[in-house]
Amino acid sequence: MFFTKIILATLLLSAAIAFEQKCFFPEPARDFDAYKLRGTTWYTGLQTNDAVASDIKCERAGNFTETSTGFQTDFRTFKKSNEHIDWVAHFTFLRSAVYQESKVKDDFSMTNAYTFDENGKYNSAADSIVENVLLERDFAFISDYLNYWMGILCSAEGQWIVWIYFQTKSPSLTNIAAAYNELQRLGVSTQLYASQCEKAH
């Protein structure tokens, strides 16, 4: 059932997007309030086929905490269905709904979580995204606090990096449609793929 829903959502996105356009950084119309995500847990459901996402089965985010500079959240990154890496991400507020990852605090953790595949083999393309995009570029965080929470980045080369999280490993069509509609409103044009969260424990 979940697989069918994700396939339907992916087909919907594919039909609406004739070709992938070079990205631009979206300016969210409303602020992001991490406080509203306290007590909730989110799982990747859809993401771009970037080198980092392709090596991850699933990612879980929770324990959202406001800090003096922005917010932090706990991540559990699944490399295989039953193997994971736990780490904490720290985000610094820049302007409304726009943040930057802390290079000082998160470099080692992100490298550990994202630059090795499920067999422990180093992935240079993923490492390049970590060092040149995730730790350097601005994140736009958007959420309706019910259906989706998403992070959107735009690399210097014009590549979209979009990860959409849902409050369940099996999001409903309502959840997926809400996220899709927000991407359309923002003008984000990229192919999205289903995660494998339903296989992660």
Side-chain angles (χ1 to χ4, degrees), residues 91-157:
F91 297 100
T92 302
F93 176 83
L94 298 178
R95 60 189 183 277
S96 179
V98 180
Y99 293 77
Q100 191 163 65
E101 185 110 20
S102 171
K103 188 167 189 174
V104 173
K105 294 180 179 178
D106 297 346
D107 191 355
F108 175 78
S109 296
M110 290 188 82
T111 298
N112 186 41
Y114 292 159
T115 64
F116 297 91
D117 67 19
E118 64 180 24
N119 299 311
K121 184 178 178 182
Y122 172 72
N123 182 332
S124 61
D127 187 55
S128 179
I129 289 177
V130 168
E131 294 299 325
N132 301 312
V133 184
L134 301 181
L135 291 171
E136 292 291 338
R137 309 288 287 186
D138 295 348
F139 282 77
F141 284 119
I142 298 119
S143 181
D144 67 356
Y145 311 104
L146 175 64
N147 292 293
Y148 63 84
W149 171 56
M150 67 177 79
I152 302 172
L153 299 97
C154 181
S155 74
E157 295 74 33

Side-chain angles (χ1 to χ4, degrees), residues 178-189:
Y180 166 75
N181 289 338
E182 183 63 15
L183 288 177
Q184 291 299 294
R185 192 189 66 75
L186 291 166
V188 175
S189 302

